[in-house]
Amino acid sequence: MIPFLGRVDEREQAMWIEMLSNNMPDETIVAFADLTDAQKQNCEIAIVANPNPQDLLSLPNLKWIHSLWAGIERIMNELVSPPFSIVRLSDPELSQVMSEAVLAWTLYLHRDMPTYARQQREKSWIEQPMVKAQDRRIGVLGLGALGRVSAQRLAQNGFSVAGWSRNPKQIDGINCFYGEDGLASLLSQSDILVCLLPLTPDTTGLLNEQSLSHLPEGASIINFARDLYY
């Protein structure tokens, strides 16, 4: 028996349980609230979607959880040394959707649309300098499943793209940096910085006054991550 735990409404919970049950016919998927105390003692696996971390502690024999959500920061922050492993769902569709959003907001800043929107409100027309995509340097923080696809999509649209991760990565067409020194190097050459980092103890405070001072004057930040700033 595998419990489903999530801060979702009843309709969404029922949808998840039905979908999981259809794709895992040999398993019994139930809502956490429907478990008896005896059943909680026997649960070794749980499927979660932004659960209340304290509920997980009522499953004393839990060995690992499978998270349907990209963010697991509440679990990491509220549970000190959780006794179970955490596995995150990797959804190719989510990577494509995220890359579209990254490209859209990058183009919005690249073509200086905030200035044109302000001019439109003021009923004025002043043509702004045109910058070619290859001359616009984009830095991507986080080269996991989402960051990799987003960086590649930006490169496919002609931008000069570099990326950063905590550990070395190799991606065709992307200049990859890593580690503390690599972060400073990436920031110093990013006209537009895209943050796709997860919120973990390793990334908390990664972007702060000191690190952001490496950005070129006039640089912009697109933040799709959780709160990483001090």
Side-chain angles (χ1 to χ4, degrees), residues 133-150:
Q134 62 263 32
D135 295 328
R136 186 75 75 185
R137 301 169 300 176
I138 314 297
V140 178
L141 291 180
L143 295 175
L146 300 182
R148 175 184 293 266
V149 176
S150 294

Side-chain angles (χ1 to χ4, degrees), residues 25 45 69 123 129 152 176 186 216:
I45 299 172
W69 280 35
K123 298 181 180 179
Q152 291 173 325
C176 297
L186 174 84

Side-chain angles (χ1 to χ4, degrees), residues 91-101 145-146 149-150 153:
D91 183 357
E93 181 64 23
L94 176 60
S95 297
Q96 292 300 322
V97 170
M98 178 61 75
S99 71
E100 288 179 4
L146 300 182
V149 176
S150 294
R153 190 159 197 157

Side-chain angles (χ1 to χ4, degrees), residues 3-8 12-13 16 46-52 56 65-72 75:
F4 175 85
L5 298 81
R7 272 190 288 266
V8 295
E12 188 173 357
Q13 176 177 267
W16 274 113
I47 299 174
V48 304
N50 191 30
N52 181 341
L56 297 172
I65 65 172
H66 190 108
S67 176
L68 302 174
W69 280 35
I72 56 171
I75 298 173

Side-chain angles (χ1 to χ4, degrees), residues 12-179:
E12 188 173 357
Q13 176 177 267
M15 178 195 72
W16 274 113
I17 291 177
E18 180 181 7
M19 182 176 65
L20 292 166
S21 298
N22 290 339
N23 287 275
M24 303 168 66
D26 295 332
E27 303 290 347
T28 301
I29 314 296
V30 298
F32 171 77
D34 294 336
L35 290 175
T36 65
D37 290 340
Q39 289 171 332
K40 290 179 181 180
Q41 297 293 318
N42 295 323
C43 289
E44 296 183 346
I45 299 172
I47 299 174
V48 304
N50 191 30
N52 181 341
Q54 298 304 313
D55 287 340
L56 297 172
L57 296 181
S58 67
L59 305 173
N61 293 306
L62 197 60
K63 294 183 178 179
W64 63 272
I65 65 172
H66 190 108
S67 176
L68 302 174
W69 280 35
I72 56 171
E73 59 273 4
R74 281 207 62 188
I75 298 173
M76 301 299 294
N77 291 335
E78 296 184 24
L79 299 183
V80 179
S81 300
F84 47 79
S85 299
I86 302 173
V87 180
R88 185 178 65 84
L89 173 67
S90 181
D91 183 357
E93 181 64 23
L94 176 60
S95 297
Q96 292 300 322
V97 170
M98 178 61 75
S99 71
E100 288 179 4
V102 168
L103 177 61
W105 284 104
T106 298
L107 289 169
Y108 180 77
L109 295 175
H110 168 61
R111 297 304 299 268
D112 203 4
M113 296 309 296
T115 297
Y116 285 118
R118 184 179 66 254
Q119 290 182 178
Q120 184 180 43
R121 291 193 298 270
E122 296 170 352
K123 298 181 180 179
S124 65
W125 170 251
I126 303 174
E127 188 172 1
Q128 301 302 308
M130 175 67 179
V131 178
K132 294 181 179 180
Q134 62 263 32
D135 295 328
R136 186 75 75 185
R137 301 169 300 176
I138 314 297
V140 178
L141 291 180
L143 295 175
L146 300 182
R148 175 184 293 266
V149 176
S150 294
Q152 291 173 325
R153 190 159 197 157
L154 290 167
Q156 290 165 1
N157 280 270
F159 290 104
S160 175
V161 184
W164 180 89
S165 56
R166 289 190 298 113
N167 300 307
K169 297 285 181 68
Q170 288 187 340
I171 305 175
D172 290 343
I174 309 299
N175 190 13
C176 297
F177 296 88
Y178 70 97

